[in-house]
Amino acid sequence: MSSSSAAPGRGDGAEKPPMRDALVAAAFRLFLERGYEQTTVDDVVALAGVGRRSFFRCFPSEDDAVFPDHERCLADMTAFLAAGADDEPVRRVCAAARPVLRMHAENPAFSVRRYRLTESVPGLRAYESSVVRRYERAPAGYLRARFAGPRDGALRADVIAAAVVAAHHNALRSWLRSDGKGDAEAAVDHALGQVRAAFGAGPVAAAGKGPEDVVVVVSRRGAPLWRVVQELETALGRG
Amino acid sequence: MSSSSAAPGRGDGAEKPPMRDALVAAAFRLFLERGYEQTTVDDVVALAGVGRRSFFRCFPSEDDAVFPDHERCLADMTAFLAAGADDEPVRRVCAAARPVLRMHAENPAFSVRRYRLTESVPGLRAYESSVVRRYERAPAGYLRARFAGPRDGALRADVIAAAVVAAHHNALRSWLRSDGKGDAEAAVDHALGQVRAAFGAGPVAAAGKGPEDVVVVVSRRGAPLWRVVQELETALGRG
């Protein structure tokens, strides 16, 4: 097993139990060598040299060994959102997506290999879809609480959460498809900027401009709204 | 087996093979009576009085018997999108979501029971998540083709597709939670209207107003963009 099979390091710098790393590496190696459908938990634990019970202490299912850090990441995201009751809500959910990116970016080689494996295995793709749904649920719950009251608050919350996750996913996938080259963080920030432009507050007004400045936009009534919004962004300096 | 266990009728009025209906009814009955985890395909075919091979001729997996019409619905959606190369793109993807709603609304009792079953069974929820992802892929693919060229076209496509599916899902779930009472179509139209307002063209300008009318919006530079967009919608008569 080459050292590049190691699981991703933790963003917080803490040491992970070596057994967990060994299980992730064994699962990956077997999925790649034999195929996902042909690999059982028994095969994984045999290769890692641990017992079945150890596996299930680390992971609820075989699939989770391929995505070993999602639970931590979801917990981080939820905690970050819970601490942001005073922030502008759309900005907060965009910021909450950053740890997910960091989880992928901190070990590009692992992330790229996992991406390729997931793309080629329908079972893992289905699992990943369900994980993506969970990533939507955290910001949706936060936004529902923040938008509680106004008509369509829950609708707005769900739509924005889906848009944030889709933008993040788009940028992340582009980065993974490019073999983890380039600045993933800048790509994700750019993508999330589009969501903020459509739904939320952009960055604070440009330096030297008071908040009471006014902006006048003149538009044809027949123009598509998104074009009007683009004009508006330009006028507001939030491109 | 009560008659209310019947599978949903087809929107196009065509007759469905009775065997298919019998398998759906059997799967539902067993999932509800014994639980999802305790039900095998063998149990389902035994109750329906058909062979295993017949089951797999109708459905690729056990889960598909709970969602018997998604394949048809996805195919309808894809065909509808393919025929809309000249339409305003965001409006077209919103319209493409309608058959999905109709599939649910044409047999409310079945849809409500399925919703409750899905909510209570993690395996079915995961399956449904993967179906929702597929519903995103069809409009995303269409929008990527329509937005091909401009920078961020694919990003914009993915974000809008996710927003459309989330809005549809929000309205559909509210309707299912209310036991299928109320006007599902109006609720979905309202929800999709929010997406159109954020991203696309709203309805054509009000009668009697020429497309060359101008609208002037004055806004404080510090105002959140979504509030400015709300003003703009009101001014444009696209609330």
Side-chain angles (χ1 to χ4, degrees):
Chain A
M1 205 176 315
S2 79
S3 64
S4 69
S5 297
R10 292 182 83 132
D12 55 12
E15 282 299 308
K16 275 208 284 196
M19 188 200 291
R20 204 164 177 273
D21 285 1
L23 286 166
V24 171
F28 253 82
R29 183 169 165 187
L30 291 169
F31 287 163
L32 289 167
E33 283 177 12
R34 294 189 192 174
Y36 173 75
E37 303 294 349
Q38 280 69 50
T39 302
T40 65
V41 168
D42 287 325
D43 300 331
V44 174
V45 298
L47 181 60
V50 302
R52 263 179 84 83
R53 226 172 326 160
S54 303
F55 183 94
F56 287 109
R57 259 201 301 272
C58 292
F59 304 111
S61 78
E62 202 178 339
D63 295 340
D64 293 287
V66 179
F67 301 95
D69 291 305
H70 277 313
E71 292 304 326
R72 165 174 71 88
C73 207
L74 277 159
D76 286 355
M77 183 192 255
T78 306
F80 177 83
L81 288 170
D86 299 322
D87 242 11
E88 194 283 314
V90 179
R91 189 173 314 190
R92 189 79 185 178
V93 292
C94 287
R98 287 174 148 277
V100 189
L101 174 72
R102 247 176 264 128
M103 173 186 76
H104 289 273
E106 70 195 3
N107 193 335
F110 178 86
S111 297
V112 168
R113 277 187 307 130
R114 170 169 60 196
Y115 172 71
R116 291 202 196 121
L117 181 66
T118 306
E119 286 299 289
S120 66
V121 177
L124 284 179
R125 269 217 307 280
Y127 175 88
E128 204 207 8
S129 294
S130 70
V131 172
V132 171
R133 285 277 144 219
R134 292 179 63 201
Y135 276 113
E136 261 179 44
R137 235 166 281 149
Y142 167 81
L143 291 173
R144 277 167 173 252
R146 294 298 307 273
F147 296 157
R151 185 175 171 236
D152 291 331
L155 168 64
R156 188 175 171 76
D158 289 359
V159 168
I160 294 173
V164 166
V165 170
H168 179 274
H169 212 64
N170 174 288
L172 178 63
R173 263 200 323 261
S174 299
W175 178 75
L176 290 169
R177 265 199 301 266
S178 76
D179 291 336
K181 305 225 173 1
D183 187 341
E185 209 147 336
V188 166
D189 281 347
H190 172 75
L192 293 172
Q194 306 287 307
V195 175
R196 282 213 310 273
F199 290 111
V204 179
K209 309 270 187 178
E212 297 307 325
D213 282 2
V214 296
V215 168
V216 177
V217 171
V218 178
S219 172
R220 281 195 300 108
R221 189 178 279 270
L225 190 55
W226 67 271
R227 286 213 190 106
V228 184
V229 172
Q230 275 185 341
E231 280 174 49
L232 197 55
E233 282 164 28
T234 309
L236 288 163
R238 299 170 181 177
Chain B
M1 205 178 320
S2 81
S3 65
S4 70
S5 297
R10 292 182 83 130
D12 56 12
E15 280 301 309
K16 274 208 286 195
M19 189 200 291
R20 205 165 176 273
D21 284 0
L23 286 166
V24 172
F28 253 81
R29 182 168 166 188
L30 291 169
F31 286 163
L32 289 168
E33 283 177 11
R34 293 189 194 176
Y36 173 75
E37 303 294 348
Q38 281 70 49
T39 301
T40 66
V41 168
D42 287 325
D43 300 331
V44 174
V45 298
L47 181 59
V50 302
R52 264 180 84 82
R53 227 176 321 164
S54 303
F55 183 94
F56 288 108
R57 258 201 302 272
C58 292
F59 304 111
S61 78
E62 204 178 339
D63 294 340
D64 293 288
V66 179
F67 301 95
D69 292 305
H70 277 313
E71 292 304 328
R72 164 175 70 89
C73 208
L74 277 159
D76 286 355
M77 184 192 255
T78 306
F80 177 84
L81 289 170
D86 299 322
D87 243 10
E88 194 285 314
V90 179
R91 189 173 316 194
R92 188 79 186 180
V93 292
C94 287
R98 288 175 146 276
V100 189
L101 173 73
R102 247 176 263 128
M103 174 186 75
H104 288 273
E106 70 196 3
N107 193 334
F110 179 85
S111 297
V112 169
R113 276 188 308 132
R114 169 167 62 196
Y115 172 71
R116 292 202 196 121
L117 181 66
T118 306
E119 286 300 288
S120 65
V121 177
L124 285 179
R125 269 217 307 280
Y127 176 87
E128 204 207 8
S129 295
S130 70
V131 172
V132 170
R133 285 276 144 219
R134 293 179 63 200
Y135 276 113
E136 261 179 47
R137 236 166 280 149
Y142 168 81
L143 291 173
R144 277 168 172 250
R146 295 297 306 275
F147 296 157
R151 185 176 172 234
D152 291 333
L155 169 64
R156 189 175 169 75
D158 289 359
V159 168
I160 294 175
V164 166
V165 170
H168 178 274
H169 213 64
N170 174 289
L172 178 62
R173 263 202 322 263
S174 298
W175 178 73
L176 291 169
R177 265 199 302 268
S178 76
D179 290 337
K181 307 228 169 3
D183 188 341
E185 208 147 335
V188 166
D189 280 348
H190 172 76
L192 293 173
Q194 306 287 307
V195 175
R196 281 212 310 272
F199 290 111
V204 179
K209 310 271 186 176
E212 297 307 326
D213 282 0
V214 296
V215 168
V216 177
V217 171
V218 179
S219 173
R220 279 193 301 109
R221 191 178 279 269
L225 191 56
W226 67 270
R227 285 210 194 112
V228 184
V229 172
Q230 276 186 341
E231 281 174 47
L232 198 57
E233 283 165 27
T234 309
L236 289 164
R238 298 170 182 177

